[in-house]
Amino acid sequence: MLRRSMTAIVTWCFVELFSATQVMAQDSDSQTCETLCATPDAPWASIPWELDLVKAQKQSLEQAKPIFIWSMDGHPLACT
Amino acid sequence: MLKDKFIPVAIDQWYTRRQQDPEGDFYRKIAGQGPRNDFNKTTQGFYIADPAGTLIAYNNNRGPERIRKLMEEALSQYTSPNCSPIEEPTIDTKFDPQLPSGAVVVRCGAKVKGGYEQAENEWRAIFQRSVARDNLWILENELEAMARGEFPESLAKRIARFHLVDNTRGQPPAWEAAEIRSLTISINGEKVSGRIHLETEDQSRGFIASLEGEISIQAGRLKKFDVIVEGDFWGTGRFTLEPPKGKFPLVVAFRLPDVPDKTDSIPPAGTRGWLDGYLDPDR
């Protein structure tokens, strides 16, 4: 259940751009590729996510900010 | 708040909790202070920590307001510790799959196009509308084959086994080699087409689909890879529960990134724990 809850958060992020199922049904193949594969124009995608925890640790020290870790089974930004 | 007040980092903890290197050590130090401190199991969740590795807050709740409150509380008590950066990190190559030399990254996305019953709540509705995302690796020799007008069998099998999955509700099972019942993909000029039949031995999960698209390779470089696989999927996996009943329409699309970004460096889900099998899907 917890695993699915985390997945839901990711899914919720992705879905902001991709809610128009009916529109996609009318797309050309090229448009469908664009719709499903483009970098989403969604709030989560505007976050400057670091992918390396060691680099994040260094930035945290330099900028005196805490580290926020989004930790999932499957990468949060892909492979979900 | 996340942009301005935190250092946001996104990781696949399946790798990080196993890594025998400074990154893995740092993650285990943080996660070990939380409720999910058995590193033989998932440790997923949201962690807030300082650079000394002290856990400030943890939650695995999906409600945005709960997470916002967690962040605000963490900020209110935060003081930057006196510690050193992790220096000259070594990398545990066992858990660091790298894109092979000469290979290219193609993005893929999957969506269930219909068949769901009315969602009982908004979270269920989100699952039903979701688009899953992954990266496909195409190897150098496979690019060369496509430039000659051949669709390489290794690429066809990699796509079939690791990417023609319903990953819209969580981590799906990949297909076993024996579950490829039939697979034909051919190139005619820049057009590519094919038929795919994947099915488990007990027939509880399957995908019968057609493939269409356009591929362009100029001077040995992949310029276009717009490919769509669409068909009827049925069944589910341990972590992809509550699919539509019976057969339902699933579309999986592939495209070369128009504008590369850092997510292109994330290895395909299918490489996790078995890079050799992903690269050589006959194994």
Side-chain angles (χ1 to χ4, degrees), chain B residues 146-192:
Chain B
M146 288 191 289
R148 296 192 301 268
E150 304 163 9
F151 199 92
E153 186 178 335
S154 57
L155 177 58
K157 288 183 176 177
R158 185 177 311 118
I159 288 173
R161 291 190 61 191
F162 300 105
H163 294 280
L164 301 188
V165 293
D166 176 12
N167 50 353
T168 60
R169 297 177 307 282
Q171 291 285 314
W175 299 99
E176 300 291 336
E179 291 169 347
I180 301 177
R181 302 300 182 94
S182 66
L183 175 63
T184 57
I185 303 176
S186 59
I187 296 178
N188 184 2
E190 292 192 348
K191 299 287 186 184
V192 58

Side-chain angles (χ1 to χ4, degrees), chain B:
Chain B
M1 180 163 51
L2 190 53
K3 279 184 192 175
D4 301 331
K5 306 291 186 184
F6 291 86
I7 304 297
V9 55
I11 58 170
D12 180 350
Q13 58 80 48
W14 187 94
Y15 288 103
T16 321
R17 67 182 154 94
R18 289 175 165 87
Q19 288 172 215
Q20 298 304 312
D21 58 18
E23 183 178 35
D25 293 341
F26 186 58
Y27 179 72
R28 285 187 295 274
K29 181 177 182 181
I30 294 168
Q33 299 163 62
R36 291 189 152 184
N37 51 17
D38 179 351
F39 299 115
N40 292 313
K41 299 178 180 175
T42 182
T43 57
Q44 68 181 2
F46 296 108
Y47 295 84
I48 299 175
D50 72 22
T54 302
L55 178 66
I56 300 168
Y58 168 84
N59 209 314
N60 192 34
N61 190 277
R62 64 188 178 188
E65 286 309 313
R66 291 277 294 272
I67 299 302
R68 175 183 293 275
K69 187 178 178 187
L70 187 81
M71 294 164 69
E72 288 172 344
E73 288 176 356
L75 282 175
S76 71
Q77 60 183 280
Y78 186 71
T79 55
S80 187
N82 184 17
C83 64
S84 301
I86 300 170
E87 293 183 0
E88 299 295 330
T90 55
I91 293 175
D92 186 347
T93 54
K94 188 177 175 185
F95 297 107
D96 185 37
Q98 293 292 310
L99 182 71
S101 176
V104 297
V105 177
V106 168
R107 290 183 188 158
C108 65
K111 182 173 176 58
V112 173
K113 292 181 69 178
Y116 281 112
E117 296 181 342
Q118 180 74 31
E120 60 197 28
N121 57 54
E122 179 55 23
W123 290 110
R124 181 56 45 198
I126 287 170
F127 276 119
Q128 295 183 358
R129 297 194 301 262
S130 70
V131 169
R133 190 174 178 186
D134 199 356
N135 292 325
L136 163 69
W137 285 354
I138 301 178
L139 307 184
E140 186 174 30
N141 67 315
E142 295 165 345
L143 292 170
E144 292 167 356
M146 288 191 289
R148 296 192 301 268
E150 304 163 9
F151 199 92
E153 186 178 335
S154 57
L155 177 58
K157 288 183 176 177
R158 185 177 311 118
I159 288 173
R161 291 190 61 191
F162 300 105
H163 294 280
L164 301 188
V165 293
D166 176 12
N167 50 353
T168 60
R169 297 177 307 282
Q171 291 285 314
W175 299 99
E176 300 291 336
E179 291 169 347
I180 301 177
R181 302 300 182 94
S182 66
L183 175 63
T184 57
I185 303 176
S186 59
I187 296 178
N188 184 2
E190 292 192 348
K191 299 287 186 184
V192 58
S193 60
R195 297 286 302 170
I196 297 122
H197 179 184
L198 309 168
E199 192 168 350
T200 55
E201 185 176 4
D202 65 1
Q203 302 178 325
S204 64
R205 180 167 49 89
F207 189 34
I208 297 175
S210 60
L211 179 149
E212 302 287 341
E214 294 185 17
I215 297 171
S216 175
I217 298 175
Q218 298 171 14
R221 294 178 65 89
L222 186 64
K223 295 294 185 183
K224 187 174 189 180
F225 196 91
D226 279 3
V227 172
I228 291 178
V229 181
E230 189 162 8
D232 291 330
F233 196 102
W234 68 95
T236 188
R238 185 179 170 197
F239 304 118
T240 58
L241 300 177
E242 300 190 44
K245 290 180 179 175
K247 292 182 177 177
F248 56 91
L250 177 74
V251 59
V252 183
F254 301 85
R255 173 171 257 206
L256 200 61
D258 293 328
V259 180
D261 65 39
K262 65 169 63 174
T263 65
D264 299 331
S265 69
I266 296 170
T271 65
R272 209 165 78 162
W274 199 39
L275 175 61
D276 290 345
Y278 181 82
L279 298 177
D280 180 6
D282 270 329
R283 285 180 178 230

Side-chain angles (χ1 to χ4, degrees), chain A:
Chain A
M1 187 63 193
L2 290 171
R3 185 191 302 261
R4 291 166 60 200
S5 298
M6 284 298 295
T7 305
I9 295 168
V10 180
T11 304
W12 166 70
C13 295
F14 282 126
V15 94
E16 295 192 24
L17 182 66
F18 300 123
S19 59
T21 303
Q22 296 304 315
V23 172
M24 198 184 75
Q26 299 167 8
D27 280 353
S28 69
D29 286 355
S30 182
Q31 287 171 319
T32 300
C33 287
E34 171 66 23
T35 302
L36 294 184
C37 300
T39 300
D41 182 19
W44 71 268
S46 71
I47 303 295
W49 295 102
E50 178 56 67
L51 305 183
D52 183 324
L53 194 51
V54 172
K55 290 180 181 173
Q57 190 260 359
K58 186 178 180 186
Q59 292 172 32
S60 172
L61 270 175
E62 291 170 348
Q63 300 176 37
K65 296 176 181 177
I67 305 167
F68 181 97
I69 305 172
W70 186 7
S71 169
M72 278 193 65
D73 257 340
H75 202 286
L77 305 185
C79 310
T80 56

